Amino acid sequence: MILSDTEIKRALTDGRIIINPPPSSGDPKAYDTTAVNLHISNELLIPKSKKELSGLPIDYGCADIKDILRILYEQETIEKDYILEPGQFILGQTVETIELPAIPDERDGTYLAARVEGKSSLARLGLTVHFTAPTIHAFFKGKITLEIVNLGNGRVMLRPGMAFCQLIFEKVAGQPKAPLSQFQAQQTPGGR
């Protein structure tokens, strides 16, 4: 079951969702009917050039993904804007840190998980916000990494702090017992 904006606000008040910095209660664009809007930070991971990586085999099955990302990407802090070229893939992250604590809803005992989704206005320009990994698992804490691809024909300007994606919250039946994500407490687009 997906939470409505009123249920998201209730979960924020109950401490079952923590968003820092919190969504502005006075901003009518902070929420949609079933989502809260998040913003892109100024930290990006930009792929290194093909020339820099030529001849460099990477064994994805044996290496830590965080180490692989350090080989493949350069971290860049953007001051004003970043032009995303057609066909270009980068990693970004949200300004907001999200936490889904292990606090059940007192009404039904459910926990919360979430999905990060793109905004339709950006999708219509050909911009994807997550490539294949939308799930924010129960008990996650950290900034959300954004897998950004420009599938359109035009260049797209990304500005730090712009509303960029939305978080949709879902109820989880039963208490999860699996280990926490390898990206727990991440503060960079590379998972560190």
Side-chain angles (χ1 to χ4, degrees):
M1 178 181 301
I2 293 173
L3 272 59
S4 69
D5 58 331
T6 55
E7 283 296 311
I8 294 168
K9 292 173 186 176
R10 178 185 172 131
L12 283 162
T13 300
D14 292 349
R16 292 180 296 122
I17 299 171
I18 299 169
I19 301 176
N20 190 19
S24 173
S25 58
D27 180 3
K29 295 182 180 179
Y31 296 91
D32 291 323
T33 57
T34 56
V36 62
N37 291 310
L38 302 178
H39 304 85
I40 190 168
S41 81
N42 64 344
E43 298 295 326
L44 300 175
L45 287 184
I46 311 298
K48 292 180 181 175
S49 72
K50 290 180 182 177
K51 184 177 179 183
E52 289 177 87
L53 297 173
S54 64
L56 179 67
I58 296 172
D59 185 350
Y60 294 99
C62 295
D64 182 318
I65 188 65
K66 295 172 191 172
D67 293 333
I68 292 171
L69 292 174
R70 279 201 314 259
I71 294 168
L72 296 176
Y73 294 91
E74 294 177 322
Q75 187 154 343
E76 186 173 317
T77 302
I78 54 174
E79 299 301 322
K80 291 186 179 181
D81 53 18
Y82 181 83
I83 304 297
L84 191 65
E85 300 291 339
Q88 187 179 8
F89 173 78
I90 62 173
L91 295 176
Q93 69 181 9
T94 58
V95 167
E96 296 84 359
T97 298
I98 307 301
E99 185 174 357
L100 302 174
I103 300 172
D105 186 330
E106 62 185 31
R107 298 170 294 178
D108 60 11
T110 57
Y111 295 86
L112 293 176
R115 285 182 286 125
V116 63
E117 296 290 350
K119 296 187 67 58
S120 62
S121 56
L122 295 175
R124 292 167 197 220
L125 299 175
L127 199 63
T128 66
V129 168
H130 71 82
F131 200 53
T132 62
T135 305
I136 311 301
H137 296 283
F139 314 151
F140 174 82
K141 179 181 181 179
K143 293 183 182 282
I144 298 173
T145 295
L146 305 170
E147 302 134 351
I148 304 165
V149 181
N150 181 356
L151 298 174
N153 292 326
R155 303 166 80 204
V156 178
M157 185 179 301
L158 306 180
R159 285 201 171 99
M162 69 186 280
F164 196 72
C165 59
Q166 52 190 338
L167 209 52
I168 298 169
F169 296 92
E170 301 173 295
K171 290 187 173 190
V172 176
Q175 182 174 7
K177 297 287 186 190
L180 295 175
S181 162
Q182 66 179 322
F183 300 117
Q184 184 72 0
Q186 69 183 2
Q187 293 298 308
T188 69
R192 300 224 179 252

